[in-house]
Amino acid sequence: MQLAEYRGPAVVLRVGELFLKRGNRAFFEEKLVSNARRLLAGIPGIQVHRMHGRLLVEMPADERTRVLERLGRLFGAQSLSPARVVAEDFDAIAEEA
């Protein structure tokens, strides 16, 4: 499933600042994605996406505790926020709130 189509529970993971030279930021962000996927291996229904200097992790609602515990051990993670992905529509946002 593409991220644009996904609607449901997620975690937004903010990464610490990466002060890098020679355009290596994408390389290190991909390493974070790879490490997050490795930490979450074995949990069904997980998808990890890199977007705008953050990671978005799609997850089944019943796996929230396990996902947050594992992502809390991810080196480079500055903070984690449980979230819910909804349509880009005011009514959909209001309904979720």
Side-chain angles (χ1 to χ4, degrees):
M1 179 180 307
Q2 296 294 321
L3 179 58
E5 300 168 2
Y6 180 73
R7 302 291 178 262
V11 174
V12 176
L13 187 145
R14 290 162 201 81
V15 298
E17 291 191 37
L18 298 173
F19 293 102
L20 303 171
K21 295 181 180 179
R22 298 187 192 199
N24 291 334
R25 182 180 187 93
F27 171 80
F28 285 101
E29 286 180 351
E30 280 302 319
K31 278 295 198 188
L32 283 169
V33 169
S34 173
N35 290 341
R37 287 181 178 142
R38 188 173 35 80
L39 282 171
L40 299 171
I43 301 176
I46 297 293
Q47 293 289 321
V48 181
H49 305 278
R50 187 180 98 192
M51 53 187 298
H52 310 293
R54 293 181 170 88
L55 301 185
L56 180 79
V57 180
E58 300 173 15
M59 64 180 181
D62 60 339
E63 296 289 357
R64 177 179 164 179
T65 300
R66 215 164 40 143
V67 168
L68 289 172
E69 286 173 355
R70 290 189 187 187
L71 287 177
R73 298 190 305 257
L74 181 63
F75 180 78
Q78 184 174 339
S79 68
L80 304 170
S81 300
R84 186 148 185 90
V85 179
V86 298
E88 294 180 24
D89 172 81
F90 183 75
D91 292 331
I93 295 168
E95 186 176 317
E96 278 300 318

